[in-house]
Amino acid sequence: MHPRVVPEVTAVDMTEAECWEHLARLDFGRLAVTDHGAPAIYPVGYSVVPGGILISARGGSRLLSVLLSGDVAFEADARTDVEGWSVLLKGVAQRIDRTSLKAVGGVAAHADGDAHVLVLITPTELTGRVLHRG
Amino acid sequence: MHPRVVPEVTAVDMTEAECWEHLARLDFGRLAVTDHGAPAIYPVGYSVVPGGILISARGGSRLLSVLLSGDVAFEADARTDVEGWSVLLKGVAQRIDRTSLKAVGGVAAHADGDAHVLVLITPTELTGRVLHRG
């Protein structure tokens, strides 16, 4: 039996501007929160807005309550056979209404209706890496 | 300006067998851990082995120490324009050596050498969803 061999990978750190530029290419990522002391991951749709990323969560949902009560981490990535990238954002979440969002120049990509709440995640830390497979 | 409209999404829960079957299709996911009380996400390569998923982490790394000291969550997903799926695994991590791995019928896909430690993540909870966009 031949175990697959994982090729050597070289990593290059992104600048903050590159992190934003990469985040803006996608609309789907993953949120990590701490729920009763244990980590949990939620796949989420998102959009980049001035000052952060915007997601929407159903009002009254577990995700919304956990999200607003502590630190959050967010990750987005993309890959091809020879290259991949990943951006990691740590930050805090807050509810934002459509009027405030417009005031900072953002447009809500989410048309989820009244049952959903817009949440702005503002980064305290933003890092990204491009990985090349040798 | 026309905000993008996110189409209605319907979700179907996976059985546990379907979760494993979907996990086995990929080799790249994301780990969430709690580091000093705050959530953190790490993109990781993985393989499915009997009883769990296998990742490797560099000996002495932050990831390895955080991973072995508490609960972990793991997520893998894939998407097309009309369909997507996501599997979420909550569990515990433990070091495993190549001999023990072989004893349970697993093969280490990772050939990262001596600097890396194999870590088996055993699920306490495994859920998956297939999403269809209407």
Side-chain angles (χ1 to χ4, degrees):
Chain A
M1 196 178 273
H2 299 278
R4 266 173 306 155
V5 173
V6 177
E8 209 51 50
V9 171
T10 55
V12 179
D13 288 335
M14 291 184 195
T15 64
E16 198 178 302
E18 287 167 336
C19 289
W20 286 117
E21 186 247 302
H22 281 76
L23 283 178
R25 292 182 192 176
L26 299 183
D27 61 3
F28 177 78
R30 298 111 205 136
L31 266 185
V33 291
T34 302
D35 191 353
H36 285 100
I41 304 186
Y42 292 85
V44 290
Y46 75 96
S47 52
V48 172
V49 295
I53 62 163
L54 189 72
I55 67 159
S56 82
R58 193 174 288 273
S61 64
R62 183 87 203 145
L63 172 59
L64 185 62
S65 98
V66 170
L67 198 53
L68 297 176
S69 63
D71 296 317
V72 302
F74 173 83
E75 191 263 1
D77 59 60
R79 292 173 100 204
T80 64
D81 283 344
V82 294
E83 200 180 88
W85 62 264
S86 170
V87 172
L88 303 171
L89 183 158
K90 292 181 183 184
V92 287
Q94 64 186 95
R95 290 176 77 132
I96 187 167
D97 60 36
R98 284 171 169 75
T99 314
S100 312
L101 185 64
K102 224 170 184 176
V104 296
V107 174
H110 306 276
D112 295 330
D114 294 342
H116 284 75
V117 173
L118 291 176
V119 177
L120 177 66
I121 299 173
T122 311
T124 51
E125 194 183 316
L126 183 63
T127 55
R129 295 204 306 174
V130 181
L131 303 171
H132 304 274
R133 284 148 179 262
Chain B
M1 196 178 275
H2 299 277
R4 265 173 308 155
V5 174
V6 177
E8 208 53 49
V9 171
T10 54
V12 179
D13 289 335
M14 291 184 196
T15 63
E16 199 178 303
E18 286 167 339
C19 289
W20 287 117
E21 186 248 302
H22 280 76
L23 283 178
R25 294 181 191 175
L26 300 182
D27 61 3
F28 177 77
R30 299 106 202 142
L31 265 185
V33 290
T34 303
D35 191 354
H36 285 101
I41 303 186
Y42 292 85
V44 290
Y46 75 95
S47 51
V48 173
V49 294
I53 62 164
L54 190 72
I55 68 159
S56 83
R58 194 173 288 274
S61 64
R62 182 90 204 141
L63 172 59
L64 184 63
S65 98
V66 170
L67 198 54
L68 297 177
S69 64
D71 295 318
V72 303
F74 173 83
E75 191 265 358
D77 59 60
R79 291 174 102 205
T80 65
D81 283 345
V82 294
E83 199 181 89
W85 61 264
S86 169
V87 172
L88 304 171
L89 182 157
K90 292 183 182 182
V92 288
Q94 66 186 94
R95 289 176 78 132
I96 186 167
D97 60 37
R98 282 170 171 74
T99 314
S100 312
L101 185 64
K102 227 173 182 173
V104 295
V107 175
H110 306 276
D112 296 330
D114 294 341
H116 283 74
V117 172
L118 290 177
V119 177
L120 176 67
I121 299 174
T122 310
T124 51
E125 193 182 316
L126 183 62
T127 55
R129 295 205 305 175
V130 181
L131 302 172
H132 303 275
R133 286 149 177 261

PDB file of all heavy atoms in Angstrom, chain B residues 7 31 38-39 45 69 71 75-76 80 102-103 106 110 115-116 118 121-123 126:
ATOM      1  N   PRO B   7     -30.465  33.437  -2.879  1.00  0.00           N
ATOM      2  CA  PRO B   7     -31.644  32.606  -3.114  1.00  0.00           C
ATOM      3  C   PRO B   7     -32.002  31.766  -1.890  1.00  0.00           C
ATOM      4  O   PRO B   7     -31.160  31.517  -1.033  1.00  0.00           O
ATOM      5  CB  PRO B   7     -31.240  31.717  -4.288  1.00  0.00           C
ATOM      6  CG  PRO B   7     -29.771  31.785  -4.383  1.00  0.00           C
ATOM      7  CD  PRO B   7     -29.302  33.009  -3.665  1.00  0.00           C
ATOM      8  N   LEU B  31      -9.943  23.360  11.594  1.00  0.00           N
ATOM      9  CA  LEU B  31     -10.052  23.016  13.001  1.00  0.00           C
ATOM     10  C   LEU B  31     -10.342  24.273  13.786  1.00  0.00           C
ATOM     11  O   LEU B  31      -9.702  25.309  13.557  1.00  0.00           O
ATOM     12  CB  LEU B  31      -8.704  22.510  13.495  1.00  0.00           C
ATOM     13  CG  LEU B  31      -8.418  21.031  13.532  1.00  0.00           C
ATOM     14  CD1 LEU B  31      -7.056  20.837  14.182  1.00  0.00           C
ATOM     15  CD2 LEU B  31      -9.480  20.242  14.264  1.00  0.00           C
ATOM     16  N   ALA B  38     -10.471  32.361  23.718  1.00  0.00           N
ATOM     17  CA  ALA B  38     -10.979  32.903  22.449  1.00  0.00           C
ATOM     18  C   ALA B  38     -10.894  31.837  21.358  1.00  0.00           C
ATOM     19  O   ALA B  38      -9.959  31.032  21.329  1.00  0.00           O
ATOM     20  CB  ALA B  38     -10.183  34.131  22.038  1.00  0.00           C
ATOM     21  N   PRO B  39     -11.873  31.843  20.450  1.00  0.00           N
ATOM     22  CA  PRO B  39     -11.826  30.861  19.376  1.00  0.00           C
ATOM     23  C   PRO B  39     -10.729  31.158  18.357  1.00  0.00           C
ATOM     24  O   PRO B  39     -10.426  32.316  18.079  1.00  0.00           O
ATOM     25  CB  PRO B  39     -13.209  30.968  18.731  1.00  0.00           C
ATOM     26  CG  PRO B  39     -13.703  32.321  19.081  1.00  0.00           C
ATOM     27  CD  PRO B  39     -13.072  32.691  20.388  1.00  0.00           C
ATOM     28  N   GLY B  45      -4.831  19.844   6.667  1.00  0.00           N
ATOM     29  CA  GLY B  45      -5.019  18.646   5.864  1.00  0.00           C
ATOM     30  C   GLY B  45      -5.471  17.520   6.784  1.00  0.00           C
ATOM     31  O   GLY B  45      -5.137  17.522   7.977  1.00  0.00           O
ATOM     32  N   SER B  69      -5.226  20.030  24.583  1.00  0.00           N
ATOM     33  CA  SER B  69      -5.599  20.476  25.932  1.00  0.00           C
ATOM     34  C   SER B  69      -7.094  20.732  26.094  1.00  0.00           C
ATOM     35  O   SER B  69      -7.515  21.219  27.125  1.00  0.00           O
ATOM     36  CB  SER B  69      -4.808  21.737  26.287  1.00  0.00           C
ATOM     37  OG  SER B  69      -5.161  22.780  25.415  1.00  0.00           O
ATOM     38  N   ASP B  71     -11.386  20.536  24.065  1.00  0.00           N
ATOM     39  CA  ASP B  71     -12.282  20.119  22.989  1.00  0.00           C
ATOM     40  C   ASP B  71     -11.869  20.757  21.671  1.00  0.00           C
ATOM     41  O   ASP B  71     -11.305  21.845  21.642  1.00  0.00           O
ATOM     42  CB  ASP B  71     -13.715  20.558  23.307  1.00  0.00           C
ATOM     43  CG  ASP B  71     -14.261  19.861  24.533  1.00  0.00           C
ATOM     44  OD1 ASP B  71     -14.028  18.651  24.682  1.00  0.00           O
ATOM     45  OD2 ASP B  71     -14.902  20.542  25.354  1.00  0.00           O
ATOM     46  N   GLU B  75     -14.392  21.127  10.654  1.00  0.00           N
ATOM     47  CA  GLU B  75     -15.393  21.328   9.611  1.00  0.00           C
ATOM     48  C   GLU B  75     -14.771  21.105   8.249  1.00  0.00           C
ATOM     49  O   GLU B  75     -13.641  21.512   7.992  1.00  0.00           O
ATOM     50  CB  GLU B  75     -15.931  22.761   9.702  1.00  0.00           C
ATOM     51  CG  GLU B  75     -17.158  23.041   8.848  1.00  0.00           C
ATOM     52  CD  GLU B  75     -16.848  23.649   7.484  1.00  0.00           C
ATOM     53  OE1 GLU B  75     -15.669  23.907   7.175  1.00  0.00           O
ATOM     54  OE2 GLU B  75     -17.804  23.844   6.718  1.00  0.00           O
ATOM     55  N   ALA B  76     -15.527  20.454   7.351  1.00  0.00           N
ATOM     56  CA  ALA B  76     -15.127  20.345   5.950  1.00  0.00           C
ATOM     57  C   ALA B  76     -16.361  20.619   5.111  1.00  0.00           C
ATOM     58  O   ALA B  76     -17.485  20.317   5.517  1.00  0.00           O
ATOM     59  CB  ALA B  76     -14.572  18.955   5.648  1.00  0.00           C
ATOM     60  N   THR B  80     -20.935  23.743  -5.074  1.00  0.00           N
ATOM     61  CA  THR B  80     -21.062  24.123  -6.474  1.00  0.00           C
ATOM     62  C   THR B  80     -22.052  25.288  -6.483  1.00  0.00           C
ATOM     63  O   THR B  80     -22.482  25.733  -5.424  1.00  0.00           O
ATOM     64  CB  THR B  80     -21.620  22.955  -7.315  1.00  0.00           C
ATOM     65  OG1 THR B  80     -22.948  22.679  -6.882  1.00  0.00           O
ATOM     66  CG2 THR B  80     -20.768  21.710  -7.176  1.00  0.00           C
ATOM     67  N   LYS B 102      -1.748   1.795  12.712  1.00  0.00           N
ATOM     68  CA  LYS B 102      -1.784   0.587  11.893  1.00  0.00           C
ATOM     69  C   LYS B 102      -2.642  -0.486  12.562  1.00  0.00           C
ATOM     70  O   LYS B 102      -3.388  -1.202  11.898  1.00  0.00           O
ATOM     71  CB  LYS B 102      -0.353   0.051  11.733  1.00  0.00           C
ATOM     72  CG  LYS B 102      -0.002  -0.320  10.306  1.00  0.00           C
ATOM     73  CD  LYS B 102       1.464  -0.664  10.218  1.00  0.00           C
ATOM     74  CE  LYS B 102       1.877  -0.995   8.794  1.00  0.00           C
ATOM     75  NZ  LYS B 102       3.334  -1.159   8.707  1.00  0.00           N
ATOM     76  N   ALA B 103      -2.552  -0.555  13.888  1.00  0.00           N
ATOM     77  CA  ALA B 103      -3.300  -1.560  14.645  1.00  0.00           C
ATOM     78  C   ALA B 103      -4.805  -1.382  14.480  1.00  0.00           C
ATOM     79  O   ALA B 103      -5.559  -2.348  14.491  1.00  0.00           O
ATOM     80  CB  ALA B 103      -2.917  -1.506  16.121  1.00  0.00           C
ATOM     81  N   GLY B 106      -5.554   1.999  10.184  1.00  0.00           N
ATOM     82  CA  GLY B 106      -5.397   3.288   9.516  1.00  0.00           C
ATOM     83  C   GLY B 106      -4.051   3.419   8.831  1.00  0.00           C
ATOM     84  O   GLY B 106      -3.085   2.769   9.197  1.00  0.00           O
ATOM     85  N   HIS B 110      -0.047  11.338   5.807  1.00  0.00           N
ATOM     86  CA  HIS B 110       0.897  12.433   5.969  1.00  0.00           C
ATOM     87  C   HIS B 110       2.323  11.912   6.050  1.00  0.00           C
ATOM     88  O   HIS B 110       2.620  11.048   6.855  1.00  0.00           O
ATOM     89  CB  HIS B 110       0.584  13.216   7.241  1.00  0.00           C
ATOM     90  CG  HIS B 110      -0.843  13.671   7.270  1.00  0.00           C
ATOM     91  ND1 HIS B 110      -1.258  14.815   6.650  1.00  0.00           N
ATOM     92  CD2 HIS B 110      -1.943  13.118   7.816  1.00  0.00           C
ATOM     93  CE1 HIS B 110      -2.561  14.951   6.831  1.00  0.00           C
ATOM     94  NE2 HIS B 110      -3.004  13.941   7.535  1.00  0.00           N
ATOM     95  N   ALA B 115       9.361  15.763  12.446  1.00  0.00           N
ATOM     96  CA  ALA B 115       9.018  17.021  13.103  1.00  0.00           C
ATOM     97  C   ALA B 115       7.518  17.110  13.392  1.00  0.00           C
ATOM     98  O   ALA B 115       7.079  17.956  14.155  1.00  0.00           O
ATOM     99  CB  ALA B 115       9.435  18.207  12.246  1.00  0.00           C
ATOM    100  N   HIS B 116       6.750  16.213  12.773  1.00  0.00           N
ATOM    101  CA  HIS B 116       5.300  16.265  12.928  1.00  0.00           C
ATOM    102  C   HIS B 116       4.753  15.131  13.779  1.00  0.00           C
ATOM    103  O   HIS B 116       5.297  14.038  13.794  1.00  0.00           O
ATOM    104  CB  HIS B 116       4.618  16.259  11.564  1.00  0.00           C
ATOM    105  CG  HIS B 116       4.689  17.582  10.880  1.00  0.00           C
ATOM    106  ND1 HIS B 116       5.842  18.050  10.317  1.00  0.00           N
ATOM    107  CD2 HIS B 116       3.755  18.556  10.713  1.00  0.00           C
ATOM    108  CE1 HIS B 116       5.621  19.259   9.805  1.00  0.00           C
ATOM    109  NE2 HIS B 116       4.362  19.586  10.031  1.00  0.00           N
ATOM    110  N   LEU B 118       1.304  12.873  14.719  1.00  0.00           N
ATOM    111  CA  LEU B 118      -0.018  12.486  14.239  1.00  0.00           C
ATOM    112  C   LEU B 118      -1.031  12.660  15.361  1.00  0.00           C
ATOM    113  O   LEU B 118      -0.779  12.299  16.505  1.00  0.00           O
ATOM    114  CB  LEU B 118      -0.021  11.018  13.789  1.00  0.00           C
ATOM    115  CG  LEU B 118       0.757  10.700  12.517  1.00  0.00           C
ATOM    116  CD1 LEU B 118       0.712   9.194  12.243  1.00  0.00           C
ATOM    117  CD2 LEU B 118       0.201  11.470  11.326  1.00  0.00           C
ATOM    118  N   ILE B 121      -8.498  12.638  15.877  1.00  0.00           N
ATOM    119  CA  ILE B 121      -9.641  13.337  16.459  1.00  0.00           C
ATOM    120  C   ILE B 121     -10.842  12.411  16.431  1.00  0.00           C
ATOM    121  O   ILE B 121     -11.282  11.959  15.378  1.00  0.00           O
ATOM    122  CB  ILE B 121      -9.921  14.654  15.715  1.00  0.00           C
ATOM    123  CG1 ILE B 121      -8.683  15.553  15.848  1.00  0.00           C
ATOM    124  CG2 ILE B 121     -11.152  15.354  16.293  1.00  0.00           C
ATOM    125  CD1 ILE B 121      -8.751  16.817  15.044  1.00  0.00           C
ATOM    126  N   THR B 122     -11.317  12.075  17.621  1.00  0.00           N
ATOM    127  CA  THR B 122     -12.422  11.139  17.787  1.00  0.00           C
ATOM    128  C   THR B 122     -13.693  11.932  18.027  1.00  0.00           C
ATOM    129  O   THR B 122     -13.748  12.759  18.935  1.00  0.00           O
ATOM    130  CB  THR B 122     -12.156  10.236  19.018  1.00  0.00           C
ATOM    131  OG1 THR B 122     -10.840   9.712  18.916  1.00  0.00           O
ATOM    132  CG2 THR B 122     -13.150   9.104  19.092  1.00  0.00           C
ATOM    133  N   PRO B 123     -14.731  11.697  17.219  1.00  0.00           N
ATOM    134  CA  PRO B 123     -15.944  12.511  17.365  1.00  0.00           C
ATOM    135  C   PRO B 123     -16.781  12.150  18.592  1.00  0.00           C
ATOM    136  O   PRO B 123     -16.951  10.980  18.906  1.00  0.00           O
ATOM    137  CB  PRO B 123     -16.719  12.215  16.083  1.00  0.00           C
ATOM    138  CG  PRO B 123     -16.222  10.904  15.607  1.00  0.00           C
ATOM    139  CD  PRO B 123     -14.804  10.786  16.074  1.00  0.00           C
ATOM    140  N   LEU B 126     -21.282  14.324  15.469  1.00  0.00           N
ATOM    141  CA  LEU B 126     -21.005  14.386  14.034  1.00  0.00           C
ATOM    142  C   LEU B 126     -22.291  14.717  13.301  1.00  0.00           C
ATOM    143  O   LEU B 126     -23.269  13.978  13.380  1.00  0.00           O
ATOM    144  CB  LEU B 126     -20.461  13.025  13.563  1.00  0.00           C
ATOM    145  CG  LEU B 126     -20.035  12.890  12.108  1.00  0.00           C
ATOM    146  CD1 LEU B 126     -18.877  13.828  11.781  1.00  0.00           C
ATOM    147  CD2 LEU B 126     -19.617  11.447  11.808  1.00  0.00           C
TER     148      LEU B 126
END
